[in-house]
Amino acid sequence: MDKPRVFITRKLALEPASILGPGIEIDQFDSEDPLPRARLLERVAQASALLPILGDRIDRELLDAAPRLRIVANHAVGYDNVDVLACTARGVWVTNTPGVLTESTADLAFTLLLTLARRIREGERMVREGKWLGWAPTQLLGMELRGKTLGIIGYGRIGQAVARRAEGFGMRVIFTDERGGVPLDELLSTSDIITIHTPLMPETHHLIGAAELLRMKRGVLLINNARGPIVDEAALVAALQSGHLGGAALDVYEFEPKVHPALLGRDDVVLLPHLGSATRETREAMGRLALTDIELVLRGERPAHPVNEVAAK
Ligand code: DGY
């Protein structure tokens, strides 16, 4: 009998063979670059398991091209790139990587927050470009964190980890979440800094649009290292251009990896390339969780981190 094959769509932070047993054939696109869609559809044809990243769209077309598939082990905690209902209908498990990226993602949210509030980019550039002529009392004045209100949209593991950091900085924390907290309107109108940590779902697509941005206090700072489409990027640009928003720090984009061109030249914006979980420790742990779930499913067992429920095949 043929060995079951796993197709891995990128280079990982650990060797797949260090987790997968010899009974599984590994096919990997061992690169940081995206695999063109047509090649992805070809490579999944014989796969019993697929390990995609958040940039790979796992939809009906892909599932049709992969008739042997038993598991999609998404290398991310978010799984908005996967049509979970279509997977379930075909008896394909979907798994994610919860827990292991909480601290690294909260660290990065706080890095964005401090970088924006303290105008780190502008200061760094001034020094590197030889434009710093010496200390001055009014130079690059930012926002002090102590006593300010941080509004956290989405109070799951990552939102709570951000709150712990904010408390250490003497901030007052409020949050909104389907499980409680304050109403979104109240959070928008009372926060000095707002940070987004909710998953992308139909209900959170453009959760922050023109109306919500207008409800925010003038000068508010907005942080997003959750998912780009939660914020209407065109409305964000307009709110920055009008001066209503004091600044934005983004790790994610509505049309990732494309960035709205109007954001690129702005000094009141911090832009990172989706680095939330990018520590060696976290990326190794994410790979380990995804590969372990593949091993379990290909052995006929239940995965440890399922996001759907399928009948045994
Ligand atoms: C996730 O896991 O959903 C992040 O966006 C990437 O680590």
Side-chain angles (χ1 to χ4, degrees), residues 131-142:
K131 293 186 177 152
W132 186 47
L133 303 179
W135 192 91
T138 54
Q139 199 168 64
L140 291 181
L141 303 184

Side-chain angles (χ1 to χ4, degrees), residues 113 116-117 143-145 148-152 171 174 187 190-195 217 219-223:
L113 191 160
L116 186 62
M143 184 193 281
E144 184 126 354
L145 298 191
K148 295 294 188 312
T149 299
L150 177 67
I152 302 181
M171 300 185 83
I174 58 175
L187 181 140
T190 55
S191 301
D192 300 297
I193 303 180
I194 296 176
T195 182
K217 285 206 254 187
V220 77
L221 305 181
L222 181 67
I223 319 296

Side-chain angles (χ1 to χ4, degrees), residues 151-268:
I152 302 181
I153 299 178
Y155 207 58
R157 291 185 192 88
I158 298 170
Q160 292 173 39
V162 171
R164 288 196 292 277
R165 285 156 178 75
E167 279 153 15
F169 278 81
M171 300 185 83
R172 172 177 170 257
V173 172
I174 58 175
F175 68 91
T176 184
D177 189 270
E178 74 271 11
R179 286 159 296 193
V182 301
L184 179 62
D185 267 0
E186 182 181 331
L187 181 140
L188 297 176
S189 60
T190 55
S191 301
D192 300 297
I193 303 180
I194 296 176
T195 182
I196 301 174
H197 299 289
T198 186
L200 175 62
M201 303 175 283
E203 312 83 72
T204 60
H205 182 264
H206 283 191
L207 180 69
I208 303 300
E212 290 72 25
L213 288 160
L214 261 186
R215 242 167 259 144
M216 295 176 188
K217 285 206 254 187
R218 195 173 173 81
V220 77
L221 305 181
L222 181 67
I223 319 296
N224 187 9
N225 77 336
R227 283 293 183 270
I230 297 170
V231 177
D232 177 344
E233 220 164 73
L236 174 72
V237 166
L240 287 163
Q241 285 170 340
S242 74
H244 184 73
L245 214 64
L250 308 174
D251 188 37
V252 292
Y253 304 90
E254 184 164 2
F255 304 104
E256 205 166 307
K258 289 196 192 115
V259 179
H260 194 301
L263 294 172
L264 295 172
R266 299 193 66 89
D267 273 338
D268 52 0

